[in-house]
Amino acid sequence: MKKTYFIIGDVHGEDKMLDEMLKNWDESTQQLVFLGDLIDRGPNNKKSVLTAMKYVKEKNAWYVMGNHEVMFLAWIDNPEERFDHYMRNNGNTTINHLLNRPVDTEIDSLKDCELVKEQYPELISFLRERPLYIDEGDVLFVHAGVDLRLDHWLDTVPKDFYWIREPFHTGKNTTGKTIIFGHTPLKGLNEDGDYMKLWQHDGKIGMDGGAVFGGALHGVVWHDGKIQKIYSLEHKDFH
C-alpha cells in the first residue's frame, strides 16, 4: 500500500487557520507535508513557523522551502542589501512577531537582525535545512514548481523551485509525476478566480488558496495517486 499524505498549502502566518487545519490530520496513517511560506503577512508568523518546526522535529512532518523563507534567510545573512526586498514582501510582520512587538514597529535592519539571530538560532538553522522539493516517485512536493522547459526537471535551478510561475504552469508535464505545489494563489491560477477550487492541470495541482489575502487554506489528503479528500477553510470564518 502506498503512503498517504496530508498536504497543507501556504499559511503566511494564519496561525488560527493552521491550528484548525491540523485537526484534520491523522497522525497514525498520514505523512504531514507543509508546502512552504509559513511566514510573512499574516497575524501570527512566529506561532505559525514555530508550530511547523515543532511538527517536523517531533512528528516527522515534511516542510519544503518557500520563497518567503528564502527571503527571510537572505535578510539574516545580509541585512543591509536584502532589507528593502524583504520589506517589500512584508518581512516586517515576521520580524516584529519574532521580537514580540506591534506589527507596525519600525524596523532597524542591522539591530533587529542581530536580535533575531540571538533569540532564534534553532529556527534559523532549521529553515536553512529545508529541502527545495520532496520526490516520492509518483508525486513531487515543491513550493513553486519546476522548469518543464528542461530535458530533466532535476536540472531546475534552485531559485525556480521556490519562485517559478508561468513557465511551470503552462509547460507540458513530462516528469511522470503529479506535482503538488503552492506559491501562486488559486485566484490567479483558476480562470474563474475561484480560490476554493484547487487548480488541476496536466498532472499539476496548485493549492495556495491565498488564505492571508482573504481566500482559503487548503489541506489535501493524497493516496494511491489521487486526491482522497480536500479540506478548505475560508479566511472570513477566522477573522
Side-chain angles (χ1 to χ4, degrees):
M1 181 180 291
K2 293 183 180 178
K3 189 179 288 183
T4 302
Y5 308 88
F6 188 90
I7 311 130
I8 298 179
D10 300 38
V11 175
H12 281 301
E14 291 288 350
D15 62 305
K16 293 179 182 177
M17 299 178 79
L18 175 59
D19 287 346
E20 188 65 27
M21 182 60 73
L22 286 168
K23 293 177 182 178
N24 299 307
W25 172 51
D26 183 348
E27 183 177 354
S28 64
T29 63
Q30 299 169 349
Q31 171 64 53
L32 181 61
V33 184
F34 297 105
L35 289 180
D37 279 10
L38 274 289
I39 56 173
D40 300 337
R41 299 192 173 118
N44 198 332
N45 297 286
K46 174 182 175 178
K47 183 184 173 190
S48 296
V49 72
L50 292 181
T51 295
M53 181 172 74
K54 179 180 180 180
Y55 272 71
V56 172
K57 290 181 176 291
E58 297 180 6
K59 298 179 180 294
N60 298 310
W62 296 344
Y63 179 154
V64 298
M65 183 74 85
N67 60 305
H68 282 262
E69 284 83 0
V70 169
M71 286 188 283
F72 170 77
L73 292 172
W75 171 72
I76 286 289
D77 291 338
N78 196 336
E80 290 186 284
E81 287 190 17
R82 303 308 298 175
F83 178 67
D84 288 343
H85 183 251
Y86 192 36
M87 291 308 101
R88 287 198 300 273
N89 287 276
N90 305 108
N92 62 301
T93 59
T94 295
I95 295 168
N96 280 324
H97 288 159
L98 288 173
L99 297 177
N100 300 310
R101 305 185 309 205
V103 75
D104 58 353
T105 302
E106 186 174 351
I107 305 295
D108 180 325
S109 190
L110 293 175
K111 181 180 177 182
D112 290 342
C113 181
E114 288 305 311
L115 288 173
V116 171
K117 286 196 286 188
E118 288 171 12
Q119 296 178 33
Y120 296 94
E122 183 184 10
L123 174 62
I124 293 168
S125 295
F126 169 78
L127 292 178
R128 291 192 195 283
E129 296 165 357
R130 293 310 90 219
L132 296 176
Y133 59 85
I134 296 172
D135 181 9
E136 284 289 276
D138 62 334
V139 60
L140 181 70
F141 304 111
V142 64
H143 179 64
V146 300
D147 192 344
L148 295 173
R149 298 168 295 187
L150 303 173
D151 290 336
H152 201 297
W153 69 270
L154 274 172
D155 294 326
T156 297
V157 297
K159 183 178 180 181
D160 281 345
F161 285 113
Y162 49 81
W163 268 116
I164 200 168
R165 295 190 194 273
E166 187 62 27
F168 168 63
H169 304 149
T170 59
K172 183 172 177 56
N173 183 7
T174 59
T175 66
K177 306 172 186 295
T178 299
I179 305 172
I180 302 181
F181 67 101
H183 186 52
T184 301
L186 295 169
K187 196 168 185 178
L189 276 177
N190 287 321
E191 290 184 3
D192 59 2
D194 186 359
Y195 58 78
M196 292 297 291
K197 178 178 66 182
L198 299 185
W199 183 79
Q200 300 185 59
H201 178 74
D202 191 24
K204 294 171 275 189
I205 301 176
M207 51 179 296
D208 176 9
V212 76
F213 299 117
L217 180 65
H218 296 293
V220 166
V221 178
W222 179 264
H223 176 73
D224 200 17
K226 60 180 181 291
I227 293 175
Q228 194 173 64
K229 189 161 186 176
I230 301 170
Y231 297 92
S232 300
L233 304 175
E234 280 201 85
H235 181 275
K236 65 180 177 61
D237 294 331
F238 292 83
H239 294 266

